[in-house]
Structures are given as structure tokens and as C-alpha cells.
Amino acid sequence: MPTKRKAVGLASFVSLLKESSESDGISVSVPARGSGSEISASPKRHVRPLKKKKQVGLLGEGCEGIDATGMVPFYQQASDVPRQLQKYFAQRLRFFSLYPEGCLLDEEGWYSVTPERIADQIADRCRCDTILDAFCGVGGNAIAFAKTCERVVALDTSPVRLALARHNAAIYGVESRIEFILADYVSFAKAYNMLSPHRRTLDVVFLSPPWGGPEYISSPKKNGATIGKVGEETEAERHPVFHLDSILPIHGSDLFTLTSTISSNIAYYLPRNVDLQEVAALSPKDKVEVEEEWMGDKLKAVTCYYGGLVAGQDHLF
């Protein structure tokens, strides 16, 4: 049976036209019946565009100037984490106890940040007015220092990591106590030594330079093969000695010598397998205190204290 079409009168048509045109900003006028005039549409009137809502990052409203949301991924599920970072993501709460509140790390930060409990322990030993964190990375140590020192000067050569460090410091509520500076430490130290005697005093310098990436602890190789018998791995191969010439950006010994021109109070954060004879040779006339940094039953690193930071040498501070 053919469908009957319903007749639509002028009033219904105008009503439909009004509904479809309201969103387009068009007004419709209806002529008087019998006037002979046709339906006319007035020109489109100006409509003020709606303001875009500000996107609020992980730090919330009012922190847009220091919020680094979007610079790097904020991983919340292990399934989203790249394979090479999986084991570090599993330790995220060891790195930052407030990680769920939005702490951010780039790839280098994941494998180089100092675990929070260790950073707090070092900061407690380094209490002073002003401390220089020469290689601040994503801010693990700088945040800890801001809890025990009046002022922290934090350097890094990466603008991204520096932004992440500031972001993370804001989560801990200590960003106002940290001065973040985009600079190469070696150049900074040389420039600092050229300033007048009235320069700002840096009471302690904390050195946590790059160790060469996660491979610093890997077994030694020769011609692409592991040294030793096939199928066996010696203790020396499992934990090869780390030498200061592997430190970046300059030889670890030269880095210490340069730093000693700024302050004699130095905390040097080094791999757990560092050559301790080389560590002692850095300051042959004075004592050095080596503190092992453990997380549970695992030795993570050592911190070597010099000058007034050594127990019993407060008079040198």
C-alpha cells in the first residue's frame, strides 16, 4: 500500500525552518497572510565564539607555568610502559612516594633518579644553608635537599629534565626553595670561580654525574664475547670494577678537583662497584667516608663524603 504523504502547511514549515536555523544564527520572518511577500532570511548575525576551556595538567589549576604535563608520558598501567622501562616502573614508588599524584620522568630519569629514601638519607647528611646539585636530572635529590637546606641550586643540561624536576618539586611543595638553572656543570664551575670574592657561598656540592647508562654494571666484554669459560660467569664479571674514567662529562677525578675549588664539602654519589682506592686517592690528605646505600637486601650505590661532611670533621665545614 503506498504511503500517504502528510501535507505540511506554511506554519509547520516555518517552525521547522526556525528549529534548523537557530543553531546557525539565522532569524526567520513570517509575512502576513495574503501580503504576497515571500519568506525571507535576515543576514547571519555575529556570534561571539566560545572561549576554550584551559586544559588543566597534573598539577591542577594555578600551576600552568610550571606544569610539565604532556612533555613525557605519565605511566599509570604497566601495559603502557615500554619494555626497557618495565623494571623501573615497578619501582616507581621507591623513586617518588608521591608518583601517583603526577610525578614525571623521561627515559634517562627512570634509570638514573636516586630512590627517595636514599635521597633523604643523603640530604640529612648534607644539611646546610645552600647546596649545589650539579646534575639534578628529574629532581629526586634536589627535592630531598629542599627539605633540609635553606636553598638549593639545581643544574642540568636538559631543558626537559629541568622542567620535569620543577614539576616534581611542585608536587612535593618545595619548588620555591630550589633555583633551577639550565647549565653545564663544568662551565658553571669555571664561571663561578671567576666571580668576585663576594659571590654567593655554596656550602656543599652534591655530585651525581652520569655513570654511562644502565650498562655501567654490565659484564666486561672482549671481542664481543664474555671473558671466562663458556657457560660460567665469575664474580668479577658479574660485578666488574667501575673506574672513575667512566664518569661523564669528564674524568671523575678531574670532576672532583674542579668541584673542590668551589667547596671542600663534597658528596659524591657513585656506583656500588666503584674502585674505592680511586675514591680515597681523590683526597689523600683528608679522610673520606663511604656510605653504602641499601634498598632492602640490595646495595644500590655508595655516597662518598669529603671535608666537613665526614663524621668527626665538622670543624672543616
Side-chain angles (χ1 to χ4, degrees), residues 226-268:
T226 303
I227 300 173
K229 295 181 180 180
V230 176
E232 295 183 2
E233 186 180 37
T234 66
E235 180 66 20
E237 289 173 334
R238 286 195 297 272
H239 301 288
V241 175
F242 181 90
H243 296 285
L244 294 180
D245 61 1
S246 297
I247 291 289
L248 300 173
I250 60 176
H251 192 296
S253 178
D254 295 334
L255 188 67
F256 181 89
T257 300
L258 177 63
T259 302
S260 64
T261 63
I262 296 176
S263 174
S264 61
N265 307 312
I266 301 171
Y268 210 158

